[in-house]
């Protein structure tokens, strides 16, 4: 809302052609109360091939700043433009920042998050940094004098940041372990006012303001593999060394028996020598005798970090039965900042798959499991990951679960929101990209009739509006045709639900029971052979 009677919006379907090729809004409109939406004024337009455009207000007046009106053009998933002006009237100016940078405002400051290194005024600011400058001078006059709010190191990255009335909260990761840091702008520099002790924990911490403009109150959520999610209240203005969590509000009940369950972190070595972290949850009385049913989960894309979290489903269906659960933090994610993500983009995608294979092989070498007792699972981009495990290393897995997956990478960009992901995978219509690498990461095209594939379950949803169910349907049909019945392939398509695969708790429970029982029973059956 710009005021009581005016709203800024992006909408699809107001007029023909107002969506992008990815199906998102191509125009920003200003809509006045009491008028039809078709009469709303178009104030900003993007291009048809853009991912999306949006408009919003970043009001910093209560922190001593201005009310900034922002038009954001997302040219790709990771690049775009910011056009900014003060208030609803006047001329918008394009911010002179890198196309892959993110911009926000905090009081009198503009805050820029870098995905690429940036040289300004004789200094190079590292990718993954947060830097700040005077907002009014930067927006209206192009003036800039940068200060560093956060700078990454080899093993410390930024997971996210948010604001209270006077503090900036940095959610950092130290080798993927959570550490929260509080900073304040004082006398022209950033100063740490409080922080978690030590070098992070194997529990995930999420901190958000209760009322960012008016108070220092916080919502704090902690979660771990053997620790149910807990919601607490906190304060951002506590002094260094003081506990910023002040009161627990609610915790989820323990929904599985975690007696003796142990959480630890390990590292595997990928093919190019990169150290790949993973978290492992072992059951009570665990012995490394290569016979424990082990589930390896991964994602590895879109700069998404897989941090520890409580999962009653994993606990009930896997850990209580005596299995091991492993979560791999492979390249393509954001666990070590933009570099970690960019090292698996487009033609470098194989790095993510090599990382996942390396973790699987490491588990076998350490006696955690054997090939017969190792399963892998992933969904969406993670479905592409385990699809590649199926075609690249079918010998490594006792069972595979592939959920709501991308599999046909020749046509993915023509289906639903697929066009928006070309910055991640590449453009199959460009011959040099298809021949250069995309055909080598397309499981549908890599099936080989001469190979033997492990038991595989594909699950999807008829109403998935993000990744089309055709990916899974075609893959299963091709495997049945090519294999002539010799490949144990299974398929379940839920008729409802979106990209999550289910529409309600009952459907989700059924889907999860189906998936985990398939993997457990398959691995247990392998042990008996």
């Amino acid at each position: 809302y710009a005021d009581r009677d005016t709203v800024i919006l992006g909408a699809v379907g107001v007029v023909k052609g107002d969506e992008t090729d990815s199906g998102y809004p191509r125009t920003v409109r200003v809509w006045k109360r009491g008028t039809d939406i078709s009469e709303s004024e178009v104030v900003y337009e993007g291009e048809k091939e853009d991912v999306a455009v949006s408009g919003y207000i970043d009001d910093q007046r209560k922190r001593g700043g201005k009310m900034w009106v922002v038009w954001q053009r997302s040219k790709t998933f990771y690049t775009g433009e910011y056009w900014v002006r003060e208030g609803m009237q006047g001329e918008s100016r394009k911010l002179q920042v890198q196309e892959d940078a993110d911009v926000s405002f905090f009081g009198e400051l503009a805050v820029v998050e870098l995905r690429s290194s940036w040289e300004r005024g004789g200094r190079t600011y590292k990718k993954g940094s947060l830097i700040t400058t005077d907002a009014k001078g930067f927006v209206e006059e192009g003036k800039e004098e940068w200060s560093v709010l956060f700078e990454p190191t080899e093993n410390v990255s930024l997971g996210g940041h948010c604001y209270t009335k006077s503090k900036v909260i940095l959610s950092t990761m130290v080798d993927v372990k959570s550490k929260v840091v509080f900073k304040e702008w004082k006398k022209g520099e950033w100063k740490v006012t409080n922080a978690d002790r030590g070098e992070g924990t194997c529990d995930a911490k999420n901190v958000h303001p209760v009322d960012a403009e008016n108070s220092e109150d916080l919502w704090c959520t902690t979660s771990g593999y053997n620790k149910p999610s807990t919601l607490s209240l906190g304060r951002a203005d506590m002094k260094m060394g003081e506990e910023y969590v002040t009161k627990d509000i609610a915790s989820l009940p323990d929904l599985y028996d975690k007696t003796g369950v142990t959480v630890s972190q390990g590292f595997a070595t990928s093919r190019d020598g990169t150290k790949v972290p993973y978290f492992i949850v072992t059951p009570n009385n665990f012995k490394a005798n290569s016979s424990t049913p082990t589930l390896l989960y991964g994602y590895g894309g879109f700069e998404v970090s897989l941090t520890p979290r409580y999962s009653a489903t994993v606990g009930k269906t896997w850990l209580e039965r005596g299995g091991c659960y492993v979560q791999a933090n492979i390249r393509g994610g954001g666990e070590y900042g933009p570099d970690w993500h960019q090292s698996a983009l487009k033609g470098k995608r194989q790095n993510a798959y090599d990382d996942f294979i390396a973790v699987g092989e490491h588990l076998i070498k350490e006696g955690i499991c054997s090939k017969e007792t190792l399963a892998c699972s992933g969904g969406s981009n993670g479905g592409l990951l385990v699809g590649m495990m199926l075609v690249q290393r079918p010998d490594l897995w006792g069972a595979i679960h592939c959920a709501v997956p991308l599999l046909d990478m020749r046509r993915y960009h023509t289906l639903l929101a697929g066009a928006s992901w070309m910055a991640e995978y590449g453009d199959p219509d460009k011959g040099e990209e298809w021949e250069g690498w995309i055909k080598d990461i397309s499981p549908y095209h890599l099936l080989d009739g001469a190979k033997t594939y492990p038991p595989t379950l594909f699950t999807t949803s008829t109403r998935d509006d993000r990744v089309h169910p055709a990916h899974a349907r075609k893959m299963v049909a091709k495997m049945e045709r090519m294999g002539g019945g010799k490949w144990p392939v299974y398929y379940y398509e839920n008729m409802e639900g979106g990209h999550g695969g289910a529409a309600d708790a009952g459907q989700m429970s059924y889907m999860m029971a189906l998936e985990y029982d398939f993997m457990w029973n398959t691995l247990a059956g392998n042990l008996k052979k």
Side-chain angles (χ1 to χ4, degrees), residues 206-225:
N206 292 293
V207 180
H208 299 283
V210 174
D211 182 354
E213 291 184 344
N214 299 303
S215 82
E216 305 295 341
D217 291 333
L218 304 172
W219 292 118
C220 308
T221 306
T222 58
S223 182
Y225 297 108

Side-chain angles (χ1 to χ4, degrees), residues 298-314:
Y299 187 77
F302 295 93
E303 211 171 341
V304 173
S305 302
L306 295 185
T307 54
R309 66 182 181 89
Y310 184 79
S311 172
T313 303
V314 170

Side-chain angles (χ1 to χ4, degrees), residues 4-154:
R4 180 179 176 83
D5 298 311
T6 309
V7 66
I8 298 171
L9 61 89
V12 171
V14 178
V15 297
K16 186 177 180 180
D18 63 358
E19 74 279 356
T20 65
D21 290 338
S22 299
Y24 298 113
R26 190 183 61 80
T27 61
V28 176
R29 293 173 172 270
V30 173
W31 188 15
K32 295 289 186 179
R33 188 185 299 276
T35 65
D36 190 85
I37 192 171
S38 63
E39 300 171 8
S40 58
E41 179 188 2
V42 175
V43 292
Y44 185 75
E45 291 190 59
E47 301 296 331
K48 188 73 172 170
E49 60 270 20
D50 290 344
V51 171
V53 300
S54 60
Y56 57 92
I57 289 173
D58 197 334
D59 192 348
Q60 295 296 320
R61 287 175 294 183
K62 289 187 177 181
R63 295 193 183 100
K66 306 293 183 180
M67 186 181 88
W68 302 109
V69 177
V70 184
W71 314 140
Q72 184 177 358
R73 177 190 177 196
S74 298
K75 297 167 71 174
T76 72
F77 214 85
Y78 307 110
T79 62
E81 299 172 350
Y82 289 86
W83 292 79
V84 182
R85 70 187 183 204
E86 182 184 348
M88 288 296 292
Q89 306 300 321
E91 181 182 356
S92 296
R93 294 175 173 85
K94 181 182 176 182
L95 293 187
Q96 298 305 306
V97 295
Q98 294 169 303
E99 284 200 335
D100 60 354
D102 289 329
V103 180
S104 60
F105 296 92
F106 178 71
E108 297 179 343
L109 301 173
V111 183
V112 178
E113 183 172 0
L114 301 177
R115 282 199 180 95
S116 301
S117 297
W118 199 27
E119 187 174 335
R120 309 300 288 176
R123 177 176 177 179
T124 299
Y125 297 94
K126 292 181 181 179
K127 65 173 66 175
S129 296
L130 276 181
I131 59 176
T132 64
T133 191
D134 177 73
K136 184 172 173 50
F138 184 52
V139 173
E140 298 181 352
E141 303 170 37
K143 294 180 180 179
E144 49 186 284
E145 185 176 337
W146 298 99
S147 299
V148 176
L149 172 54
F150 171 83
E151 184 174 70
T153 66
E154 185 177 356

Side-chain angles (χ1 to χ4, degrees), residues 358-369:
V359 175
E361 291 179 333
H362 178 79
L363 296 172
I364 293 170
K365 182 180 178 182
E366 292 296 308
I368 307 297
C369 57

